[in-house]
Amino acid sequence: MQFLILGILLDAPLTLYDVHKRFRAGISLFYAASFGSIQRALRQLESQGWARVDEAAANGRGRKLYRVTAEGRRSWHTWMTSPLTGSDPEPLMLARIHLLGHLPPAERALCVEVIRTRIAEDQSRLAALAEELDATDVPEAVRELYRFRRATLDYGLRSHGLALSWLDDLDLSA
């Protein structure tokens, strides 16, 4: 979540409440975050030196504005171009595509290719599993169980195929 927040802060310095609003306004469709988890992440970003806090007054009230430091920008850039890790790459894929406009146009294709590689590898593993399962003689007693379990594997194959097609259709031109 820290890198997603860094990417959000690249838009403009924001308060904790503003960051939370950005999540609620659309990011939460692919990346869930509570107010408390955002607050903790902002504190971590500050302690790592990736963000700094500026005090600003608005309507007679003090506000803490978080902004990305040069070190934070470098860390975010490294994250954007590094391989996707973890067992569920979809939220990270969507987060990176959501933030893709902050990369220089010449580097966007690299980011998308890194994502595409992971999705294609996962799809290949699913296809191999499907091939293996389809070659297995399923006993009559468990065929009904198998049918629905195989349907979930089919969903995984289709969703990965859709993700790859969607990535191919992205317009990366400046």
Side-chain angles (χ1 to χ4, degrees):
M1 177 182 352
Q2 289 182 356
F3 295 106
L4 183 53
I5 291 174
L6 281 174
I8 293 167
L9 293 175
L10 289 173
D11 291 345
L14 299 169
T15 66
L16 165 63
Y17 298 100
D18 293 332
V19 173
H20 186 251
K21 277 198 278 189
R22 297 272 177 108
F23 270 85
R24 282 196 342 250
I27 294 170
S28 64
L29 294 172
F30 61 86
Y31 206 104
S34 68
F35 188 84
S37 64
I38 293 169
Q39 187 175 40
R40 280 188 300 281
L42 283 167
R43 275 191 244 133
Q44 289 173 340
L45 291 171
E46 184 182 10
S47 71
Q48 292 168 308
W50 293 357
R52 74 170 201 262
V53 178
D54 294 331
E55 298 292 331
N59 299 330
R61 294 179 42 187
R63 296 173 15 144
K64 290 183 176 185
L65 286 174
Y66 293 85
R67 67 180 70 238
V68 179
T69 64
E71 186 178 342
R73 185 176 292 275
R74 282 190 297 278
S75 296
W76 174 84
H77 183 272
T78 298
W79 173 76
M80 284 290 287
T81 57
S82 66
L84 294 180
T85 59
S87 61
D88 185 10
E90 186 178 51
L92 293 175
M93 171 186 75
L94 293 171
R96 289 185 186 184
I97 298 302
H98 183 80
L99 301 170
L100 200 58
H102 284 296
L103 279 179
E107 295 181 17
R108 292 174 188 164
L110 169 64
C111 179
V112 171
E113 187 53 36
V114 165
I115 294 167
R116 191 180 201 304
T117 297
R118 168 61 193 271
I119 301 300
E121 288 170 355
D122 288 356
Q123 185 186 41
S124 180
R125 281 193 289 278
L126 291 174
L129 177 59
E131 190 174 311
E132 181 183 324
L133 289 175
D134 291 346
T136 303
D137 186 26
V138 179
E140 181 67 38
V142 294
R143 279 201 184 127
E144 198 64 8
L145 294 172
Y146 172 83
R147 183 169 67 92
F148 291 106
R149 292 180 181 164
R150 180 60 177 83
T152 59
L153 179 57
D154 185 51
Y155 174 84
L157 287 164
R158 290 180 187 196
S159 68
H160 282 69
L162 175 63
L164 290 170
S165 176
W166 177 70
L167 290 168
D168 289 344
D169 290 346
L170 280 176
D171 180 5
L172 300 177
S173 60

